[in-house]
Amino acid sequence: MSTFRPKYITFDCYGTLTNFDMAGAARRVYGERLSPEAMASFVEAFRGYRLDEVLGPWKPFLEVVQNSIERSCKRIGIQFKPEDAQRIYDEVPTWGPHPDVPAGLSRVAKEIPLVILSNSMNSLIMSNVEKLGAPFHTVITAEEVGAYKPLMKGFEYMFDKLGCDPEDITHVSSSFRYDLMTAYDLGIKSKVWVNRGHEPANPFYEYTEIKDIGGLAAAVGLEPVREVA
């Protein structure tokens, strides 16, 4: 069992807590227009371009989605229509949590305040948060910060807003590239990787691995450790 009890547990939301189904949304829009092979290539391009789009100056998330879709269409060789990107964007607030999330969060929310740091917009995020089934102390968006993860600015803004230091929190994410690599570089010692199959393991970044949010209580010292299958 962990002996470290954080002042706050901070979370990535989309992908870690919310079932962030961008790939499914892309298939629902483009699936009838593309072969299975081209569709798979489109989904992979869309994933990569979304990361590239958030690395520059902040822009509304709709622009991130639109630009990523337009670049993916160009790469695959199909026509880009802004209304297709809008359809995908409009799905975001409808998405709910992974099945393990509500019960897993409820076990820790009784003991430790929960915080979200999300690459989202103020107008989107609360619809997703309300579906998570647990109270959150603070919800911080990229729009509020003026920067997207994996840039450090969001984490630094969060520390200031919470009045804490990197060593005071446990940060939880399913993504190394968006969260855990930055958390490592900022000196956050207590990190939890939720292995949802998004990325391969990378032990260099010194985290506790859990297979779902049901394992979080043990990771922060509230329950006995469960072995990851």
Side-chain angles (χ1 to χ4, degrees), residues 167-182:
E167 58 268 25
D168 295 326
I169 71 167
T170 292
H171 190 67
V172 182
S173 180
S174 61
S175 175
F176 292 100
R177 295 203 294 178
Y178 279 95
D179 283 83
L180 296 177
M181 292 168 67
T182 304

Side-chain angles (χ1 to χ4, degrees), residues 59-78:
K59 59 176 79 75
F61 190 61
L62 177 57
E63 289 185 29
V64 172
V65 174
Q66 286 179 329
N67 294 349
S68 301
I69 289 289
E70 185 171 15
R71 295 169 75 183
S72 300
C73 287
K74 180 179 180 180
R75 182 163 161 183
I76 302 302
I78 60 173

Side-chain angles (χ1 to χ4, degrees), residues 4 36 47 71 74 81 91 125 132 137 190 204 223:
F4 174 67
R47 179 199 59 76
R71 295 169 75 183
K74 180 179 180 180
K81 298 178 181 179
E91 279 201 27
I125 191 67
L132 297 178
H137 176 274
S190 179
F204 175 83
E223 291 181 1

Side-chain angles (χ1 to χ4, degrees), residues 68-177:
S68 301
I69 289 289
E70 185 171 15
R71 295 169 75 183
S72 300
C73 287
K74 180 179 180 180
R75 182 163 161 183
I76 302 302
I78 60 173
Q79 182 183 7
F80 167 70
K81 298 178 181 179
E83 58 267 31
D84 292 334
Q86 185 71 54
R87 282 179 59 192
I88 292 172
Y89 180 83
D90 289 344
E91 279 201 27
V92 174
T94 72
W95 294 333
H98 292 286
D100 54 275
V101 166
L105 288 180
S106 67
R107 288 203 289 275
V108 295
K110 299 172 185 176
E111 303 291 338
I112 303 170
L114 310 183
V115 175
I116 281 175
L117 176 63
S118 176
N119 277 0
S120 189
M121 300 287 289
N122 298 338
S123 60
L124 290 181
I125 191 67
M126 293 315 298
S127 178
N128 304 113
V129 172
E130 288 165 0
K131 297 176 178 68
L132 297 178
F136 280 82
H137 176 274
T138 304
V139 176
I140 300 170
T141 67
E143 180 180 9
E144 179 180 347
V145 173
Y148 289 100
K149 299 176 297 181
L151 300 180
M152 292 182 176
K153 186 177 179 180
F155 286 91
E156 293 170 330
Y157 180 96
M158 179 175 69
F159 298 146
D160 289 342
K161 187 165 185 174
L162 296 176
C164 69
D165 296 313
E167 58 268 25
D168 295 326
I169 71 167
T170 292
H171 190 67
V172 182
S173 180
S174 61
S175 175
F176 292 100
R177 295 203 294 178

Side-chain angles (χ1 to χ4, degrees), residues 1 25 36 54 87 113 146 204 220:
M1 180 181 291
V54 301
R87 282 179 59 192
F204 175 83
V220 296

Side-chain angles (χ1 to χ4, degrees), residues 3-20:
T3 58
F4 174 67
R5 180 163 174 157
K7 291 182 180 178
Y8 300 96
I9 305 175
T10 63
F11 295 86
D12 166 61
C13 186
Y14 293 153
T16 302
L17 302 179
T18 295
N19 184 12
F20 193 58

Side-chain angles (χ1 to χ4, degrees), residues 184-204:
Y184 176 90
D185 289 340
L186 283 169
I188 298 173
K189 300 300 184 185
S190 179
K191 297 176 292 295
V192 174
W193 177 47
V194 187
N195 185 357
R196 298 205 184 275
H198 302 155
E199 300 171 17
N202 193 334
F204 175 83

